[in-house]
mmCIF file of all heavy atoms in Angstrom:
data_model
loop_
_atom_site.group_PDB
_atom_site.id
_atom_site.type_symbol
_atom_site.label_atom_id
_atom_site.label_comp_id
_atom_site.label_asym_id
_atom_site.label_seq_id
_atom_site.Cartn_x
_atom_site.Cartn_y
_atom_site.Cartn_z
ATOM 1 N N PRO A 245 12.454 -78.258 38.742
ATOM 2 C CA PRO A 245 12.442 -78.789 37.368
ATOM 3 C C PRO A 245 12.476 -80.317 37.376
ATOM 4 O O PRO A 245 13.073 -80.939 38.275
ATOM 5 C CB PRO A 245 13.751 -78.246 36.761
ATOM 6 C CG PRO A 245 14.039 -77.014 37.594
ATOM 7 C CD PRO A 245 13.565 -77.342 38.966
ATOM 8 N N ILE A 246 11.860 -80.924 36.379
ATOM 9 C CA ILE A 246 11.805 -82.390 36.382
ATOM 10 C C ILE A 246 13.095 -83.031 35.841
ATOM 11 O O ILE A 246 13.362 -84.202 36.117
ATOM 12 C CB ILE A 246 10.596 -82.919 35.598
ATOM 13 C CG1 ILE A 246 10.716 -82.558 34.099
ATOM 14 C CG2 ILE A 246 9.282 -82.415 36.190
ATOM 15 C CD1 ILE A 246 9.706 -83.282 33.217
ATOM 16 N N ILE A 247 13.867 -82.247 35.050
ATOM 17 C CA ILE A 247 15.154 -82.744 34.552
ATOM 18 C C ILE A 247 16.211 -81.631 34.762
ATOM 19 O O ILE A 247 15.859 -80.479 34.986
ATOM 20 C CB ILE A 247 15.074 -83.081 33.037
ATOM 21 C CG1 ILE A 247 14.683 -81.838 32.191
ATOM 22 C CG2 ILE A 247 14.103 -84.225 32.788
ATOM 23 C CD1 ILE A 247 14.803 -82.006 30.730
ATOM 24 N N PRO A 248 17.501 -81.989 34.695
ATOM 25 C CA PRO A 248 18.525 -80.947 34.766
ATOM 26 C C PRO A 248 18.416 -80.042 33.542
ATOM 27 O O PRO A 248 17.873 -80.391 32.520
ATOM 28 C CB PRO A 248 19.829 -81.748 34.703
ATOM 29 C CG PRO A 248 19.478 -83.136 35.114
ATOM 30 C CD PRO A 248 18.065 -83.350 34.623
ATOM 31 N N ASP A 249 18.966 -78.811 33.675
ATOM 32 C CA ASP A 249 18.987 -77.871 32.574
ATOM 33 C C ASP A 249 19.681 -78.478 31.365
ATOM 34 O O ASP A 249 20.794 -79.035 31.493
ATOM 35 C CB ASP A 249 19.651 -76.548 32.975
ATOM 36 C CG ASP A 249 18.812 -75.738 33.911
ATOM 37 O OD1 ASP A 249 17.594 -75.974 34.004
ATOM 38 O OD2 ASP A 249 19.341 -74.816 34.543
ATOM 39 N N ILE A 250 19.079 -78.343 30.211
ATOM 40 C CA ILE A 250 19.629 -78.910 28.948
ATOM 41 C C ILE A 250 20.342 -77.857 28.126
ATOM 42 O O ILE A 250 21.448 -78.060 27.660
ATOM 43 C CB ILE A 250 18.486 -79.572 28.105
ATOM 44 C CG1 ILE A 250 17.805 -80.707 28.896
ATOM 45 C CG2 ILE A 250 19.043 -80.025 26.779
ATOM 46 C CD1 ILE A 250 18.761 -81.870 29.194
ATOM 47 N N GLY A 251 19.682 -76.717 27.899
ATOM 48 C CA GLY A 251 20.259 -75.676 27.054
ATOM 49 C C GLY A 251 19.190 -75.055 26.185
ATOM 50 O O GLY A 251 18.047 -74.954 26.528
ATOM 51 N N ILE A 252 19.640 -74.602 24.970
ATOM 52 C CA ILE A 252 18.749 -73.905 24.047
ATOM 53 C C ILE A 252 18.888 -74.595 22.676
ATOM 54 O O ILE A 252 19.977 -74.817 22.202
ATOM 55 C CB ILE A 252 19.082 -72.425 23.927
ATOM 56 C CG1 ILE A 252 18.939 -71.768 25.315
ATOM 57 C CG2 ILE A 252 18.228 -71.741 22.917
ATOM 58 C CD1 ILE A 252 19.384 -70.305 25.375
ATOM 59 N N LEU A 253 17.728 -74.904 22.058
ATOM 60 C CA LEU A 253 17.687 -75.497 20.718
ATOM 61 C C LEU A 253 16.964 -74.543 19.776
ATOM 62 O O LEU A 253 16.064 -73.792 20.207
ATOM 63 C CB LEU A 253 16.968 -76.854 20.740
ATOM 64 C CG LEU A 253 17.684 -78.037 21.356
ATOM 65 C CD1 LEU A 253 17.585 -78.003 22.865
ATOM 66 C CD2 LEU A 253 17.067 -79.352 20.847
ATOM 67 N N ALA A 254 17.347 -74.553 18.515
ATOM 68 C CA ALA A 254 16.751 -73.611 17.576
ATOM 69 C C ALA A 254 16.766 -74.174 16.144
ATOM 70 O O ALA A 254 17.644 -74.930 15.761
ATOM 71 C CB ALA A 254 17.459 -72.267 17.621
ATOM 72 N N SER A 255 15.763 -73.797 15.367
ATOM 73 C CA SER A 255 15.663 -74.246 13.975
ATOM 74 C C SER A 255 14.632 -73.407 13.237
ATOM 75 O O SER A 255 13.715 -72.791 13.821
ATOM 76 C CB SER A 255 15.246 -75.705 13.964
ATOM 77 O OG SER A 255 15.116 -76.208 12.649
ATOM 78 N N GLU A 256 14.737 -73.402 11.906
ATOM 79 C CA GLU A 256 13.678 -72.868 11.065
ATOM 80 C C GLU A 256 12.468 -73.812 11.052
ATOM 81 O O GLU A 256 11.348 -73.419 10.749
ATOM 82 C CB GLU A 256 14.158 -72.710 9.620
ATOM 83 C CG GLU A 256 15.158 -71.615 9.383
ATOM 84 C CD GLU A 256 15.568 -71.513 7.953
ATOM 85 O OE1 GLU A 256 14.678 -71.301 7.077
ATOM 86 O OE2 GLU A 256 16.754 -71.688 7.616
ATOM 87 N N ASP A 257 12.704 -75.084 11.348
ATOM 88 C CA ASP A 257 11.701 -76.140 11.254
ATOM 89 C C ASP A 257 11.116 -76.387 12.624
ATOM 90 O O ASP A 257 11.735 -76.975 13.486
ATOM 91 C CB ASP A 257 12.372 -77.397 10.697
ATOM 92 C CG ASP A 257 11.413 -78.517 10.433
ATOM 93 O OD1 ASP A 257 10.343 -78.610 11.073
ATOM 94 O OD2 ASP A 257 11.720 -79.398 9.586
ATOM 95 N N ILE A 258 9.874 -75.978 12.801
ATOM 96 C CA ILE A 258 9.207 -76.110 14.107
ATOM 97 C C ILE A 258 8.928 -77.565 14.460
ATOM 98 O O ILE A 258 8.996 -77.934 15.634
ATOM 99 C CB ILE A 258 7.905 -75.284 14.153
ATOM 100 C CG1 ILE A 258 7.382 -75.134 15.599
ATOM 101 C CG2 ILE A 258 6.825 -75.865 13.234
ATOM 102 C CD1 ILE A 258 6.257 -74.123 15.733
ATOM 103 N N VAL A 259 8.687 -78.409 13.456
ATOM 104 C CA VAL A 259 8.415 -79.827 13.716
ATOM 105 C C VAL A 259 9.676 -80.521 14.194
ATOM 106 O O VAL A 259 9.695 -81.207 15.216
ATOM 107 C CB VAL A 259 7.839 -80.489 12.446
ATOM 108 C CG1 VAL A 259 7.707 -81.982 12.713
ATOM 109 C CG2 VAL A 259 6.521 -79.855 12.104
ATOM 110 N N ALA A 260 10.774 -80.327 13.457
ATOM 111 C CA ALA A 260 12.053 -80.947 13.832
ATOM 112 C C ALA A 260 12.501 -80.437 15.189
ATOM 113 O O ALA A 260 13.047 -81.214 16.027
ATOM 114 C CB ALA A 260 13.097 -80.674 12.791
ATOM 115 N N LEU A 261 12.341 -79.154 15.454
ATOM 116 C CA LEU A 261 12.755 -78.560 16.737
ATOM 117 C C LEU A 261 11.993 -79.243 17.911
ATOM 118 O O LEU A 261 12.621 -79.596 18.909
ATOM 119 C CB LEU A 261 12.489 -77.060 16.729
ATOM 120 C CG LEU A 261 12.768 -76.344 18.075
ATOM 121 C CD1 LEU A 261 14.224 -76.469 18.462
ATOM 122 C CD2 LEU A 261 12.327 -74.891 18.006
ATOM 123 N N GLU A 262 10.661 -79.343 17.768
ATOM 124 C CA GLU A 262 9.882 -79.950 18.828
ATOM 125 C C GLU A 262 10.222 -81.413 19.025
ATOM 126 O O GLU A 262 10.252 -81.940 20.152
ATOM 127 C CB GLU A 262 8.390 -79.741 18.581
ATOM 128 C CG GLU A 262 7.922 -78.312 18.618
ATOM 129 C CD GLU A 262 7.765 -77.747 20.044
ATOM 130 O OE1 GLU A 262 8.774 -77.681 20.758
ATOM 131 O OE2 GLU A 262 6.642 -77.374 20.374
ATOM 132 N N LYS A 263 10.429 -82.123 17.931
ATOM 133 C CA LYS A 263 10.828 -83.549 18.008
ATOM 134 C C LYS A 263 12.161 -83.715 18.748
ATOM 135 O O LYS A 263 12.284 -84.527 19.648
ATOM 136 C CB LYS A 263 10.916 -84.124 16.593
ATOM 137 C CG LYS A 263 11.370 -85.587 16.536
ATOM 138 C CD LYS A 263 10.346 -86.547 17.039
ATOM 139 C CE LYS A 263 10.523 -87.954 16.606
ATOM 140 N NZ LYS A 263 11.868 -88.530 16.841
ATOM 141 N N ALA A 264 13.125 -82.894 18.380
ATOM 142 C CA ALA A 264 14.438 -82.928 19.023
ATOM 143 C C ALA A 264 14.334 -82.578 20.504
ATOM 144 O O ALA A 264 14.962 -83.233 21.352
ATOM 145 C CB ALA A 264 15.420 -81.994 18.313
ATOM 146 N N THR A 265 13.557 -81.580 20.811
ATOM 147 C CA THR A 265 13.415 -81.153 22.220
ATOM 148 C C THR A 265 12.770 -82.241 23.061
ATOM 149 O O THR A 265 13.258 -82.553 24.145
ATOM 150 C CB THR A 265 12.548 -79.865 22.265
ATOM 151 O OG1 THR A 265 13.162 -78.832 21.507
ATOM 152 C CG2 THR A 265 12.337 -79.399 23.713
ATOM 153 N N LEU A 266 11.683 -82.825 22.565
ATOM 154 C CA LEU A 266 11.041 -83.916 23.312
ATOM 155 C C LEU A 266 11.958 -85.114 23.465
ATOM 156 O O LEU A 266 12.007 -85.735 24.528
ATOM 157 C CB LEU A 266 9.733 -84.295 22.621
ATOM 158 C CG LEU A 266 8.575 -83.341 22.805
ATOM 159 C CD1 LEU A 266 7.464 -83.687 21.823
ATOM 160 C CD2 LEU A 266 8.075 -83.362 24.249
ATOM 161 N N ASP A 267 12.673 -85.419 22.425
ATOM 162 C CA ASP A 267 13.625 -86.595 22.498
ATOM 163 C C ASP A 267 14.669 -86.314 23.566
ATOM 164 O O ASP A 267 14.992 -87.244 24.391
ATOM 165 C CB ASP A 267 14.308 -86.795 21.169
ATOM 166 C CG ASP A 267 13.393 -87.379 20.106
ATOM 167 O OD1 ASP A 267 12.282 -87.821 20.441
ATOM 168 O OD2 ASP A 267 13.789 -87.417 18.923
ATOM 169 N N ILE A 268 15.252 -85.133 23.628
ATOM 170 C CA ILE A 268 16.308 -84.805 24.605
ATOM 171 C C ILE A 268 15.714 -84.830 26.038
ATOM 172 O O ILE A 268 16.333 -85.324 26.970
ATOM 173 C CB ILE A 268 16.904 -83.452 24.257
ATOM 174 C CG1 ILE A 268 17.813 -83.593 23.064
ATOM 175 C CG2 ILE A 268 17.711 -82.916 25.449
ATOM 176 C CD1 ILE A 268 18.461 -82.307 22.639
ATOM 177 N N ILE A 269 14.494 -84.253 26.189
ATOM 178 C CA ILE A 269 13.864 -84.270 27.514
ATOM 179 C C ILE A 269 13.619 -85.700 27.961
ATOM 180 O O ILE A 269 13.874 -86.065 29.137
ATOM 181 C CB ILE A 269 12.547 -83.458 27.464
ATOM 182 C CG1 ILE A 269 12.833 -81.971 27.370
ATOM 183 C CG2 ILE A 269 11.696 -83.750 28.710
ATOM 184 C CD1 ILE A 269 11.624 -81.083 27.139
ATOM 185 N N ASN A 270 13.158 -86.532 27.061
ATOM 186 C CA ASN A 270 12.856 -87.924 27.418
ATOM 187 C C ASN A 270 14.103 -88.737 27.738
ATOM 188 O O ASN A 270 14.062 -89.674 28.513
ATOM 189 C CB ASN A 270 11.994 -88.562 26.343
ATOM 190 C CG ASN A 270 10.590 -88.049 26.316
ATOM 191 O OD1 ASN A 270 10.102 -87.487 27.274
ATOM 192 N ND2 ASN A 270 9.940 -88.199 25.174
#
Side-chain angles (χ1 to χ4, degrees):
I246 65 168
I247 60 169
D249 288 343
I250 298 297
I252 299 174
L253 286 79
S255 180
E256 290 181 60
D257 185 334
I258 194 170
V259 175
L261 175 64
E262 293 284 62
K263 178 69 162 52
T265 301
L266 285 168
D267 287 349
I268 287 178
I269 288 172
N270 288 339

